[in-house]
Amino acid sequence: MTINFQYIQMAESSSLSEIVTRNLQKLGNKYEFIIRAEVFFKLGNGTDGNDKICEIQLSAPGPRIFAKSNENNFEKSAANTISDLERQLRKRKEKFERSRKAI
């Protein structure tokens, strides 16, 4: 799986990239059909403190899988986004298995 990072309106963070890479590699090992991940970190315009945005888009067979979350720091935002992706991947895998059993 290829992972591409884009930092929009902020400086690049190697520690943040390492954390997200490690978690996405775990997902990639569990769901081998993932081809590529596009990760976007952005600073939003929120006034409530939840202006750290993480968006992740996964390329896999079928429609692309996308998740986004806003939190008060990027680590929480990335963790929430990855857990949302895992839920979507679990559903997709169940669909694949059901269609495979039907054949």
Side-chain angles (χ1 to χ4, degrees):
M1 170 177 50
T2 307
I3 303 172
N4 297 320
F5 289 92
Q6 293 187 22
Y7 293 86
I8 301 168
Q9 299 177 350
M10 60 175 287
E12 190 171 323
S13 169
S14 61
S15 63
L16 191 57
S17 297
E18 289 174 18
I19 292 168
V20 173
T21 300
R22 188 174 340 114
N23 288 325
L24 286 175
Q25 289 295 344
K26 287 179 187 177
L27 281 182
N29 292 337
K30 190 172 182 180
Y31 303 99
E32 296 174 356
F33 55 85
I34 300 172
I35 300 166
R36 183 177 68 233
E38 298 286 336
V39 182
F40 301 93
F41 289 107
K42 302 177 184 180
L43 286 173
N45 296 330
T47 56
D48 60 351
N50 290 341
D51 59 348
K52 312 295 191 287
I53 302 168
C54 176
E55 297 178 359
I56 302 177
Q57 181 177 338
L58 298 178
S59 295
R64 289 191 174 155
I65 299 171
F66 178 81
K68 172 183 177 179
S69 61
N70 315 6
E71 290 293 335
N72 59 356
N73 69 40
F74 284 111
E75 289 82 6
K76 284 183 187 177
S77 182
N80 288 344
T81 304
I82 290 171
S83 69
D84 289 347
L85 288 172
E86 187 165 15
R87 189 174 338 107
Q88 293 179 46
L89 287 166
R90 196 174 321 119
K91 288 179 183 180
R92 171 110 19 125
K93 188 173 182 178
E94 288 172 6
K95 266 188 188 176
F96 284 157
E97 289 175 353
R98 272 188 270 138
S99 66
R100 200 177 299 155
K101 288 179 183 178
I103 297 176

